Amino acid sequence: MRVAVIGVGGTGSATCRFLAKRGHSVVGYERFRVGHERGSSHGESRIIRYTYPDMLYTQMMGDAYPLWTELEAEAGEELLARCGGLYFGKNDEPSIHETERALIGAGLPYDKLTAHEVESRFPAFRLTNDETALYQPESGLLRATRCVLANARLAVEAGAVLREETVVTEIVTAGSEVVVRTDSGEESVFDRVIVTAGAWMGELFTRLHLPLTITRQQVTYLNIAQNPTHFEKGSLPVWIDATTLYYGFPNDGRITGAKIASHVLGESVDPNAPKRDVDSDYIEAVRDYARMRLPDLSGEVTYQTTCLYTVTPNEDFILDRVPESPNVWLVSGCSGHGFKFTVLLGKIVSQLALGETYGRDLSRFRIRGFD
Ligand SMILES: Cc1cc2nc3c(=O)[nH]c(=O)nc-3n(C[C@H](O)[C@H](O)[C@H](O)COP(=O)(O)OP(=O)(O)OC[C@H]3O[C@@H](n4cnc5c(N)ncnc54)[C@H](O)[C@@H]3O)c2cc1C
């Protein structure tokens, strides 16, 4: 089958690889260079975890983990570092209890820790006495840019053609075929088109009025002032503060310091607007938080970047066939938590586009599923 994949980022690179490996004729279109820093999938780390206050996502992670291991084996490089993860919040934080229920329901191992237990196990980290943590050993970090590059490289090795610096401007259904038009005026015909355009999805499908908001998210790394071994993978897990929505990582072994960011939605932006440096008041807020949570960090910023979220109203993904275009599928709305799923979303959308099924009910990801 001739398949076009539009957008070779996190989900698109995985989609290209799955389809090419199965012998389909794949063309991946990417408006920048694969591995660029203008979208949502660049950087040294993304959290991977089973810990979700939602059973469907917890179960889907059970499907995603083996796919990451498979990608690592095929790529012959370390892409997933399992360093454990803390999910914590105030003792009465509902999502802690919902997450614990999901872990129990899925039969996954975890430890429930007090502030004192957290500090004795992870000496860099502080909880207050009114907070509780869930520790799950399989959490860790994915090396995001390397995952995209690995998927893309393996896709090409399996026969896919990647058209970089090529913007798809139009997708037109013509009977059982689909015509893809690019900014250079070129037209190509395919049997299936899968659109994984991230923050640019709304631009390609204005008629669908997709409920997507694009936000600018900021990331900082702070230097380590003392006890550097406490920040190594194994001594410090990845962590998510379910009450304030700050999250962070151990030292990733590549960039000096430890990464801290906030999942609170940033300002709404046009994905085509030029990138701006991280705001100074954001850096101050991160420093204040770090003083309380990770007192061995200094206030020195060693690295900073911004990235785009593509957010749906309830943070559920969108994965569906496009109405009135039976051979066009789209995946979007990864809502700031989608990287860990990209390898799975690429596989699922490939299967659905080929007329196959995925063993779980994804009806809540339908385009019209948001009220
Ligand atoms: C700061 C930050 C932290 C995050 N932390 C985590 C985390 O810890 N864990 C986690 O699981 N997730 C996390 N996420 C979310 C996750 O990174 C994203 O959900 C995921 O990367 C989205 O992948 P995507 O394939 O949808 O988008 P992208 O990777 O951005 O891919 C879309 C691609 O489409 C291309 N494109 C768009 N339009 C066109 C066109 N018309 N023609 C050709 N190409 C086009 C773009 O250039 C881009 O390469 C985070 C996101 C950010 C920004």
Side-chain angles (χ1 to χ4, degrees):
M1 214 174 267
R2 298 164 300 172
V3 190
V5 177
I6 298 171
V8 187
T11 309
S13 61
T15 309
C16 288
R17 171 167 149 264
F18 282 114
L19 289 165
K21 274 175 60 183
R22 291 189 54 181
H24 295 285
S25 168
V26 178
V27 180
Y29 293 92
E30 171 50 54
R31 69 191 305 142
F32 303 112
R33 306 281 303 180
V34 174
H36 68 89
E37 302 204 336
R38 297 288 308 274
S40 305
S41 297
H42 55 281
E44 199 49 60
S45 54
R46 293 288 187 279
I47 291 178
I48 178 167
R49 59 184 157 110
Y50 281 108
T51 44
Y52 262 85
D54 183 307
M55 199 54 182
L56 176 61
Y57 287 108
T58 307
Q59 289 170 333
M60 285 174 72
M61 280 314 299
D63 301 335
Y65 265 101
L67 298 179
W68 288 116
T69 312
E70 180 183 271
L71 174 64
E72 264 192 318
E74 283 180 34
E77 60 180 316
E78 188 229 43
L79 298 172
L80 193 177
R82 277 188 174 82
C83 52
L86 282 177
Y87 188 78
F88 65 90
K90 297 286 183 203
N91 294 334
D92 57 359
E93 171 63 49
S95 72
I96 300 290
H97 304 290
E98 287 152 18
T99 299
E100 188 175 11
R101 263 200 302 278
L103 286 170
I104 293 169
L108 291 162
Y110 71 96
D111 296 324
K112 194 167 185 174
L113 304 176
T114 62
H116 177 69
E117 287 164 335
V118 165
E119 192 175 333
S120 53
R121 241 163 118 167
F122 310 112
F125 210 75
R126 300 284 183 278
L127 251 56
T128 51
N129 286 332
D130 58 349
E131 291 176 316
T132 305
L134 302 174
Y135 174 78
Q136 213 286 321
E138 280 133 304
S139 299
L141 62 92
L142 288 162
R143 300 199 180 276
T145 300
R146 282 161 214 268
C147 292
V148 175
L149 293 175
N151 266 317
R153 186 177 74 243
L154 292 164
V156 170
E157 282 171 23
V161 173
L162 300 187
R163 301 282 315 278
E164 296 177 282
E165 296 179 331
T166 304
V167 181
V168 169
T169 51
E170 220 181 339
I171 302 160
V172 183
T173 293
S176 63
E177 297 184 318
V178 189
V179 179
V180 168
R181 295 200 179 107
T182 71
D183 55 346
S184 64
E186 185 194 331
E187 282 192 4
S188 305
V189 178
F190 296 92
D191 303 303
R192 299 283 186 277
V193 171
I194 297 174
V195 190
T196 49
W200 289 264
M201 192 63 90
E203 216 174 84
L204 274 169
F205 290 108
T206 43
R207 74 179 167 93
L208 294 181
H209 304 290
L210 296 169
L212 299 173
T213 305
I214 313 307
T215 64
R216 171 178 172 263
Q217 302 300 132
Q218 312 186 67
V219 170
T220 52
Y221 281 64
L222 295 183
N223 211 349
I224 300 162
Q226 52 193 2
N227 299 316
T229 55
H230 292 174
F231 288 85
E232 284 172 10
K233 295 192 294 293
S235 301
L236 181 65
V238 296
W239 54 269
I240 297 175
D241 180 339
T243 304
T244 66
L245 302 184
Y246 277 104
Y247 63 93
F249 297 78
N251 176 269
D252 56 39
R254 317 255 182 197
I255 298 175
T256 303
K259 174 172 161 182
I260 303 185
S262 170
H263 181 64
V264 171
L265 296 185
E267 67 189 288
S268 180
V269 288
D270 173 349
N272 297 310
K275 272 181 86 139
R276 285 185 283 119
D277 277 352
V278 171
D279 304 335
S280 55
D281 57 349
Y282 181 86
I283 292 173
E284 274 319 308
V286 169
R287 283 181 178 136
D288 285 346
Y289 183 84
R291 266 193 285 277
M292 183 253 303
R293 198 64 85 188
L294 291 147
D296 287 344
L297 288 178
S298 79
E300 183 199 354
V301 176
T302 53
Y303 182 78
Q304 51 169 288
T305 189
T306 58
C307 179
L308 300 174
Y309 275 5
T310 304
V311 189
T312 61
N314 64 357
E315 297 195 359
D316 266 349
F317 308 147
I318 301 177
L319 193 164
D320 203 358
R321 190 195 290 267
V322 173
E324 287 133 46
S325 302
N327 293 326
V328 183
W329 290 77
L330 63 80
V331 182
S332 188
C334 283
S335 300
H337 66 108
F339 195 84
K340 64 185 82 57
F341 294 96
T342 49
V343 72
L344 176 64
L345 294 174
K347 182 171 183 183
I348 296 172
V349 75
S350 303
Q351 289 175 322
L352 298 180
L354 296 173
E356 300 167 3
T357 51
Y358 169 62
R360 302 191 190 283
D361 178 8
L362 298 185
S363 50
R364 56 191 260 207
F365 297 167
R366 303 285 302 269
I367 287 173
R368 295 204 170 89
F370 300 95
D371 297 318

